[in-house]
């Protein structure tokens, strides 16, 4: 099983195109997938060529992930991939236009080789001071957000891509940016169930493949951030929302995850909390360092075989969907 541990990881890479060193390591470590950032997505032809290279050296179908939410969070720029922000659609409650623009985008980026869209955002825009979420939420109430989340999941699936709801358990009541520090919100379980949970539940019931957590502290629920919290993963996500898909971390290179430890410790503690996929951004060396640490801990007997099998089975199962044809 140790030879498949790399499947738990998604990593980015430095530069415009993947280096030979990166490609060799990606293959030798059997890494589960890659994430593309804006500098690697434009021009689009360059992204397509990079994806083909990565697919050609991968032992298993790789996840090719991208944040293409609309507005300022569009990694692919220009037509036909770029489209308006969720906030613009939400303000007008224009689901018809959203369907039209999102459909155009996802069919196109799938043709380039992308197979995992890190969207839709299921957060509720509760705090105007939250600059990290500015323009990224569909509205200020669950009732406004839910139909857009449901619609997004259906459209993305129809185009043949996997979906990922974010940022669990709900980041809209926070202010601080987890890219820079641990974020914090003050809601409890009952408020969560009546507010934050609703758009995530709508997306899960629509068939969302993945749910992404973020580096958020909810002191009324746990003294640990969501990234390392079994309470957030097992009680809230698995039990309360009945989600049996893939739980993926937010970027473990963010400063909000610094408190968990070094790169390897971040990966292991997030896995032990209940995550199936461990995401690292642009620093692929950090990702490979974490893989090596994880494997050493496995050799020492510090990782449960059954727990590892569950995550690897989830990953294999979801990758089987990637061979499905596009529904026109």
């Amino acid at each position: 099983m140790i030879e498949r541990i790399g499947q738990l990881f998604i990593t980015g890479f430095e530069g415009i195109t993947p280096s030979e060193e990166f490609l060799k390591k990606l293959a030798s470590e059997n890494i589960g997938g890659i994430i593309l950032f804006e500098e690697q997505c434009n021009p689009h032809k360059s992204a397509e060529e990079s994806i083909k290279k990565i697919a050609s050296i991968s032992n298993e179908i790789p996840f090719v992930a991208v944040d293409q939410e609309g507005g300022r969070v569009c990694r692919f720029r220009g037509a036909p991939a770029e489209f308006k922000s969720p906030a613009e659609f939400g303000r007008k409650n224009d689901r018809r236009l959203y369907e039209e623009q999102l459909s155009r985008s996802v069919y196109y980026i799938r043709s380039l080789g992308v197979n995992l869209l890190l969207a839709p955002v299921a957060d509720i825009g509760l705090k105007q001071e939250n600059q990290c979420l500015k323009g990224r939420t569909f509205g200020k109430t669950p009732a406004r957000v839910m139909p857009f989340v449901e619609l997004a999941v259906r459209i993305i699936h129809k185009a043949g891509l996997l979906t990922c709801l974010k940022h669990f358990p709900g980041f809209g009541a926070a202010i601080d940016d987890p890219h820079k520090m641990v974020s914090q919100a003050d809601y409890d379980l009952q408020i969560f169930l009546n507010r934050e949970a609703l758009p995530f539940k709508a997306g899960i019931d629509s068939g969302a493949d993945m749910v992404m957590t973020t580096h958020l502290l909810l002191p009324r629920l746990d003294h640990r951030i969501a990234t390392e919290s079994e309470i957030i993963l097992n009680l809230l996500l698995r039990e309360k929302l009945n989600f049996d898909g893939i739980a993926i971390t937010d970027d473990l290179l963010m400063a909000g995850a610094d408190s968990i430890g070094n790169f390897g410790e971040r990966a292991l503690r997030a896995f032990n909390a209940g995550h199936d996929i461990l995401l690292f951004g642009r620093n692929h060396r950090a990702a490979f360092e974490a893989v090596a640490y994880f494997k050493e801990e496995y050799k020492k007997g510090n990782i449960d075989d059954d727990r590892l099998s569950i995550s690897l089975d989830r990953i294999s199962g979801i990758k089987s969907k990637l061979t499905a044809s596009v529904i026109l």
Side-chain angles (χ1 to χ4, degrees):
M1 192 144 44
I2 193 170
E3 70 280 356
R4 297 203 65 228
I5 280 175
Q7 286 293 297
L8 303 173
F9 292 79
I10 290 178
T11 181
F13 56 88
E14 295 92 341
I16 306 301
T17 58
S19 66
E20 286 303 314
E21 173 216 358
F22 174 76
L23 292 170
K24 287 177 183 176
K25 198 74 172 171
L26 202 70
S28 66
E29 294 293 351
N30 193 22
I31 299 299
I34 58 109
I35 179 171
L36 298 174
F37 292 92
E38 190 166 339
E39 65 270 22
Q40 293 140 2
C41 291
N42 305 284
H44 303 168
K45 186 66 178 174
S46 175
E48 183 178 24
E49 290 170 358
S50 294
I51 292 167
K52 285 178 179 175
K53 281 184 184 177
I54 288 161
S56 71
I57 57 88
S58 297
N59 302 316
E60 303 184 41
I61 296 173
F63 292 119
V64 180
V66 70
D67 296 282
Q68 193 78 3
E69 301 169 8
R72 65 187 180 91
V73 185
C74 274
R75 305 307 188 205
F76 286 93
R77 292 295 176 182
E82 191 172 356
F83 57 101
K84 293 179 181 179
S85 71
E88 291 183 71
F89 295 111
R91 273 194 296 271
K92 299 176 182 177
N93 198 23
D94 195 340
R95 296 200 286 276
R96 183 199 59 78
L97 184 61
Y98 178 64
E99 179 173 5
E100 178 186 309
Q101 293 197 6
L102 179 62
S103 295
R104 182 191 67 207
S105 178
V106 293
Y107 275 94
Y108 175 69
I109 64 174
R110 185 185 189 276
S111 75
L112 300 175
V114 174
N115 57 31
L116 169 55
L117 196 67
L118 299 177
V121 171
D123 298 296
I124 306 164
L126 297 167
K127 295 279 189 180
Q128 191 172 353
E129 307 95 312
N130 188 327
Q131 291 300 304
C132 183
L133 283 180
K134 187 176 181 181
R136 298 172 67 191
T137 68
F138 291 106
K140 299 177 181 179
T141 65
R144 177 53 56 93
V145 176
M146 289 165 64
F148 281 99
V149 169
E150 293 168 339
L151 180 59
V153 171
R154 291 198 300 271
I155 293 167
I156 297 164
H157 278 168
K158 191 175 180 183
L161 284 81
L162 302 173
T163 57
C164 178
L165 309 176
K166 58 190 187 185
H167 307 82
F168 194 81
F171 171 52
I175 295 173
D176 294 322
D177 184 346
H179 293 83
K180 302 173 182 177
M181 64 187 75
V182 172
S183 194
Q184 184 169 324
D186 192 38
Y187 56 85
D188 59 15
L189 178 60
Q190 200 56 51
I191 293 173
F192 165 78
L193 293 173
N194 291 328
R195 191 178 67 190
E196 273 78 7
L198 298 179
F200 285 98
K201 181 62 174 168
I204 288 167
D205 288 348
S206 296
D209 305 288
M210 299 188 188
V211 172
M212 176 185 284
T213 62
T214 195
H215 313 307
L216 175 70
L217 179 65
L218 297 174
R220 295 171 74 178
L221 286 168
D222 198 350
H223 66 278
R224 299 164 296 180
I225 62 173
T227 315
E228 59 168 339
S229 170
E230 293 178 40
I231 291 173
I232 300 299
L233 270 294
N234 294 331
L235 175 62
L236 270 61
L237 183 59
R238 301 293 186 197
E239 293 183 29
K240 296 298 184 181
L241 299 193
N242 196 31
F243 180 65
D244 193 37
I246 285 180
I248 178 174
T249 68
D250 208 338
D251 189 348
L252 290 170
L253 297 175
M254 289 180 182
D258 285 352
S259 63
I260 305 178
N262 63 37
F263 300 132
E265 289 166 341
R266 295 179 199 191
L268 183 59
R269 289 170 75 170
F271 175 80
N272 286 337
H275 291 91
D276 305 294
I277 292 181
L278 311 161
L279 175 64
F280 285 82
R282 288 179 174 88
N283 185 350
H284 65 263
R285 291 176 181 84
F288 295 138
E289 179 183 318
V291 173
Y293 180 94
F294 203 99
K295 287 183 174 180
E296 283 302 311
E297 291 300 303
Y298 178 77
K299 290 175 185 175
K300 292 175 185 175
N302 294 333
I303 296 171
D304 182 71
D305 272 333
D306 290 340
R307 168 72 184 84
L308 183 57
S309 290
I310 288 170
S311 287
L312 290 173
D313 286 348
R314 282 190 181 122
I315 292 165
S316 295
I318 206 167
K319 283 190 172 184
S320 69
K321 292 184 180 182
L322 297 176
T323 59
S325 59
V326 183
I327 303 170
L328 297 175

